[in-house]
Each structure stands twice: as C-alpha cells, then as structure tokens.
Amino acid sequence: MLTIDHLSASYGNLQILHDIHLTVQPGERVGIFGHNGAGKTSLLKCCVGELKPLLGSVHWMGELVNASRVELNVRRGIGFVPQGHNVFKDLSVKQNLRIAALMHEVSKLDDVFELFPILKDRQDQRAQSLSGGQQQMLALGMSLMGRPQMLLLDEPTTGLAPIIVKEMLQAIHQSSLSHGTSVLIVEQNVQATLAHVDRAIVMKQGRVIFDDDAKKLREQQSLWHLF
Ligand SMILES: Nc1ncnc2c1ncn2[C@@H]1O[C@H](COP(=O)(O)OP(=O)(O)O)[C@@H](O)[C@H]1O
Ligand SMILES: [Mg+2]
C-alpha cells in the first residue's frame, strides 16, 4: 500500500536520500534504524509529502503522494507524528484531542483513552503540565483521532524513561493490531522496538543497507554498529 520507488531527495544541492526502494503492506510494522543524519526523518517526510522527491516516487494506495500537500496526504489516511512533543501546551488534553478530531471527519476519543488511560485521568489538565511521556502519548493520540491507515512515527520514545518506552511501543503495537494500521517507526531504542515490528530497515548515509525480518537483525550482531 506504500510503495517507494527509486527515491532520491535533497536539501538544496545536498542530496540526502539515494535510490530508496521500500514497500509497506497493510498492517505491517516496520522499524527504521540508523545513526543521526542517516536520512530517517527525511524519508518519513517524503512519505507524507513534506519533502519533495528529487527523483523517483512515493505512492500511497496506488496514488502518488502529493509533495507539499501534507494535509491532503493526512486526510488520505497517512498519520504523521514528528519528533518532539507536538501538542498545544496551553490547551487541555481533551481540547488537544478535539482539535485533532476537527481536522478529520472521524474521531473516537474513547479509543485514545482506552489506549492511554492516563490521558483520560488528565483530560482537563493543560498539556504543558504533563510529563514528556504523557505529552508524547497525547501527540500519538491526536494522530490516532483521524483513524490513519498508516502511522509514520519519528522517534516517539526518545528521552523517555525505559518503562514508558515499553508502554509506548506496546500501545503502538496494540493500536496497529486493533485497527490493522501499518506502522513505519524511526527509533533509537532499537532492541525494544525490534520486539514490536515485523521488519527492520537500516539506513546509512541516505541509503537502505538492510531490509529484512526484524528477527534477522536481532541475530545479526555484525550490523549493530550501524545504529
Ligand atoms: N532542513 C534541512 N536543511 C538542510 N539539511 C538538512 C535539513 N534537515 C536535515 N538535513 C540534513 O540531511 C541529512 C539527513 O537528516 P535527517 O533526515 O534528519 O537524518 P536522521 O533523521 O536519520 O537523523 C543530514 O545530513 C542533515 O544534516
Ligand atoms: Mg531524525
């Protein structure tokens, strides 16, 4: 359902993605790993139309992903949670979720509260009073309000305590299983993530140098220096 073909991309004269081929099937969970600067964020940006391909293409459900039309691509079912806690800090938890719902036609507050009960308890509290992990849960919850068919997640657990990392990854996995959502997740917490994805991709200097079962990456210790 997501097909990336011969994709290259650049910022100005600096080419940062080189000839990427990648497909993500319905319901499939794929982890993207690699050092800082490997091009992981740029790849996600191409998938949601925030970064325009230099060469090649990204197709979603058989149609070209519109470059520079992020909102259109989001409406077509691509949920994107950028790095950092992207929430409206001065608004309450519930207001944040309602705003996210306004941007879409479908919404289900209860689903998000079921996934993250702590958000239900704190629904009237201002987002800025939440912990980093709770804000990240809220950012994920906001993107789930649109019932995406694919979730693009950029380092959703960076900076969180190990126990919260586990909780987040489990919630993402659970949500994907319940709704058949595909997941493309960039992560620094490689070991923890490998337990929750089907496939693993390793990037190096703008290229995909490994694309196979998550299990194989767990076994192939010779590749671990790459992330
Ligand atoms: N907005 C930008 N303008 C210019 N160069 C950028 C920009 N964003 C990222 N880069 C460069 O592109 C390369 C890939 O970055 P990025 O996709 O953010 O990698 P990663 O997410 O794997 O750390 C890096 O060399 C980075 O410095
Ligand atoms: Mg990044």
Side-chain angles (χ1 to χ4, degrees), residues 106-155:
V106 281
S107 69
K108 205 123 193 295
L109 207 59
D110 290 344
D111 276 3
V112 174
F113 287 157
E114 194 184 320
L115 200 61
F116 298 118
I118 188 77
L119 295 182
K120 187 174 187 184
D121 299 343
R122 309 268 164 105
Q123 60 182 294
D124 296 316
Q125 221 171 288
R126 272 210 230 178
Q128 68 179 3
S129 68
L130 301 177
S131 70
Q134 290 159 357
Q135 286 189 32
Q136 199 57 347
M137 289 170 191
L138 179 56
L140 179 61
M142 287 168 73
S143 117
L144 291 175
M145 292 299 279
R147 286 279 174 85
Q149 283 149 292
M150 177 172 68
L151 262 182
L152 308 175
L153 305 170
D154 199 355
E155 302 198 13

Side-chain angles (χ1 to χ4, degrees), residues 38-179:
K40 306 179 298 296
T41 296
S42 303
L43 179 58
L44 289 192
K45 284 184 177 173
C46 285
C47 293
V48 73
E50 199 178 318
L51 179 62
K52 197 176 170 185
L54 182 65
L55 291 168
S57 60
V58 182
H59 282 85
W60 166 245
M61 306 279 208
E63 278 180 50
L64 209 58
V65 165
N66 294 273
S68 326
R69 296 294 307 276
V70 175
E71 76 293 347
L72 209 70
N73 301 318
V74 169
R75 277 183 197 281
R76 285 177 54 210
I78 305 176
F80 180 38
V81 184
Q83 217 172 334
H85 313 132
N86 289 282
V87 300
F88 299 102
K89 295 196 192 302
D90 288 332
L91 302 182
S92 73
V93 167
K94 197 157 66 182
Q95 285 169 329
N96 266 281
L97 291 169
R98 286 212 174 124
I99 283 184
L102 286 177
M103 299 195 281
H104 306 280
E105 276 140 35
V106 281
S107 69
K108 205 123 193 295
L109 207 59
D110 290 344
D111 276 3
V112 174
F113 287 157
E114 194 184 320
L115 200 61
F116 298 118
I118 188 77
L119 295 182
K120 187 174 187 184
D121 299 343
R122 309 268 164 105
Q123 60 182 294
D124 296 316
Q125 221 171 288
R126 272 210 230 178
Q128 68 179 3
S129 68
L130 301 177
S131 70
Q134 290 159 357
Q135 286 189 32
Q136 199 57 347
M137 289 170 191
L138 179 56
L140 179 61
M142 287 168 73
S143 117
L144 291 175
M145 292 299 279
R147 286 279 174 85
Q149 283 149 292
M150 177 172 68
L151 262 182
L152 308 175
L153 305 170
D154 199 355
E155 302 198 13
T157 73
T158 295
L160 307 184
I163 178 93
I164 314 290
V165 168
K166 269 189 158 174
E167 203 179 313
M168 277 294 287
L169 292 171
Q170 265 161 10
I172 290 162
H173 195 165
Q174 186 53 51
S175 168
S176 158
L177 290 175
S178 310
H179 303 288

